[in-house]
Amino acid sequence: ISNIPIAFASAMATAVLPSVSTLMATKNMEEIRRKIQLAVKTTSIITMPCAVGLFVLAEPIVNLLFSNSQGDLILAGGYLRILCFSIVFYGFSTLNNGILQGTGKMKEPIYNAFCALVFQTVVLVLLLSNTSLGVYGVGIANTVYAGTLYYLNHRVIKKTVDYKQEYKRSIFLPLLLSVIMGCVVHAANKGLLYLNVASRIATVISIIIGGSIYIVLILTCGVFSKEELRMIPLLKKICDRGKRND
């Protein structure tokens, strides 16, 4: 389940690679930094709400997809909650891999992945041998791996193209809107269950409500500038249609 939003980040990395390669050949660093910022922001608005939504609806989503006993449901839900934190890091690290390849850095992602894997292994051994976390320790180690890989790749990008991350609209605002969406989803799910709506139906309705509210928040809270909206094909069509109607 947690790999679904990461697939979108992988698609973003594939889309970014050709344009970054072309701009790198012409030494247009300013445009490269602009492309990276838009890609980071787009990855944020995809991975962050998915992570928050899975965290809030961990048990209901597991129950929606699988038939489990109450004990298994709690265990799987707890594990999914831990993996939620890795979704954002995996999304960014996947994007960073594409960016690094576009800038001609082929060896660095492999080396960084190896370093992150060694660190993950150390953390996993320590957690399994010194704590009673069990399977949750595996989830924590996976999150550590994703976070470490993102950090190492981001450092290389920063040095290669002198990239400085903009945080307010690229990270903090999408995170805030995701948390707001998560609160609404949690309230909607509890409210539907209180009204004796079937658990699986309540989960689906809550997801639809949350997704709809999040899209409205993204489009109305200034996450994207008009120029950035026009750089995204689907949103460009919406903007152009709105302009014609005006």
Side-chain angles (χ1 to χ4, degrees), residues 14 22-23 27 33 46 49 85 93 97 104 108-109 114 116 133 156-157 181 191-192 200 203 209 214 235:
T14 303
T22 302
L23 293 170
K27 304 297 182 182
R33 288 191 286 268
I46 293 173
F85 296 98
S93 61
N97 280 337
E108 283 77 359
F114 175 75
L133 290 172
V156 178
I157 292 174
M181 179 213 69
L192 290 169
R200 294 180 177 178
T203 301
I209 292 173
Y214 183 73
L235 296 180

Side-chain angles (χ1 to χ4, degrees), residues 97-192:
N97 280 337
I99 294 171
L100 288 174
Q101 291 176 35
T103 58
K105 300 290 184 180
M106 300 297 182
K107 296 180 181 179
E108 283 77 359
I110 299 175
Y111 174 75
N112 291 340
F114 175 75
C115 293
L117 180 61
V118 171
F119 187 48
Q120 177 200 28
T121 303
V122 173
V123 171
L124 180 59
V125 170
L126 291 175
L127 289 176
L128 293 180
S129 60
N130 295 285
T131 71
S132 58
L133 290 172
V135 69
Y136 295 133
V138 177
I140 294 172
N142 284 336
T143 302
V144 168
Y145 171 82
T148 304
L149 182 59
Y150 159 71
Y151 172 74
L152 294 175
N153 283 344
H154 181 73
R155 284 187 61 188
V156 178
I157 292 174
K158 186 177 180 179
K159 293 179 180 178
T160 303
V161 299
D162 192 28
Y163 177 69
K164 295 181 180 179
Q165 179 62 53
E166 186 276 328
Y167 287 97
K168 182 178 179 182
R169 293 198 304 161
S170 298
I171 305 295
F172 296 142
L173 187 54
L175 179 59
L176 175 62
L177 299 182
S178 298
V179 171
I180 293 173
M181 179 213 69
C183 293
V184 173
V185 168
H186 179 73
N189 188 64
K190 292 297 183 182
L192 290 169

